[in-house]
Amino acid sequence: MKSMNFKIDINAPKEKVWNALWEDANYRAWTAPFSEDSHAITDWKQGSKALFVDSKGSGMVSRIEENRPNEYMSIRHLGEIKDGVEDTTSKAAQQWANAMENYTLTEIPAGTNLKVEMTGNIPPEFENYFAEAWPKALNKLKEIAERIN
């Protein structure tokens, strides 16, 4: 099992960081380093399906495992989506099966510490991509959270 961890301190309360993470317009902005037109189709409720896709309908099919507002979000990746078709059974999709993406918000004196942990089946060819994209995405998230009124 592979694990990749990223963290950032944000000068904003947990509620603003949470809004920056999951509100649609904010989500689209901070995830742009992964894919310019990335967006999520979900209600973010525990047990709900979540589709993380680009404008062509390609991306990841996932499930919200746990949602504790302003504290913790856990997302289980189930497979891929290609051209709008969900795939959880092919060899390519199985590379991602049961990989987890966990977001933990902790109050600190200056605001909030956000820790993102990815664990499970992370295909090796994506490790460098994530190592470059996550810091860019988190810096964008920090900008958004710190300017929310």
Side-chain angles (χ1 to χ4, degrees):
M1 177 176 320
K2 178 74 179 158
S3 179
M4 297 183 79
N5 296 287
F6 305 92
K7 59 174 99 170
I8 192 165
D9 291 341
I10 301 172
N11 188 17
K14 293 192 303 184
E15 296 78 11
K16 288 186 179 184
V17 176
W18 191 260
N19 177 275
L21 280 165
W22 311 121
E23 189 277 325
D24 184 58
N26 294 335
Y27 181 86
R28 289 172 186 257
W30 78 261
T31 59
F34 297 104
S35 174
E36 277 299 319
D37 53 359
S38 169
H39 62 284
I41 302 169
T42 185
D43 61 10
W44 300 111
K45 293 181 181 172
Q46 190 165 315
S48 292
K49 182 187 283 189
L51 305 178
F52 300 98
V53 294
D54 60 20
S55 61
K56 297 176 185 133
S58 295
M60 303 293 297
V61 58
S62 308
R63 180 176 59 238
I64 306 301
E65 287 293 305
E66 191 170 345
N67 179 341
R68 295 192 315 260
N70 306 317
E71 291 180 16
Y72 182 75
M73 178 80 77
S74 180
I75 301 166
R76 179 180 304 275
H77 297 298
L78 305 172
E80 296 181 318
I81 305 169
K82 296 272 191 197
D83 301 318
V85 179
E86 294 179 27
D87 173 14
T88 58
T89 59
S90 73
K91 185 175 180 179
Q94 287 297 304
Q95 289 186 91
W96 292 102
N98 294 313
M100 300 294 294
E101 202 168 301
N102 300 313
Y103 297 77
T104 304
L105 287 72
T106 306
E107 191 172 326
I108 58 173
T112 303
N113 174 267
L114 171 64
K115 177 183 175 188
V116 179
E117 179 183 32
M118 296 177 63
T119 61
N121 301 330
I122 302 168
E125 62 269 23
F126 283 91
E127 290 177 27
N128 286 339
Y129 167 74
F130 287 135
E132 290 181 20
W134 269 111
K136 291 176 187 173
L138 291 179
N139 282 324
K140 183 66 176 170
L141 176 74
K142 176 181 172 76
E143 288 175 25
I144 295 166
E146 290 179 352
R147 76 168 182 252
I148 293 174
N149 291 329

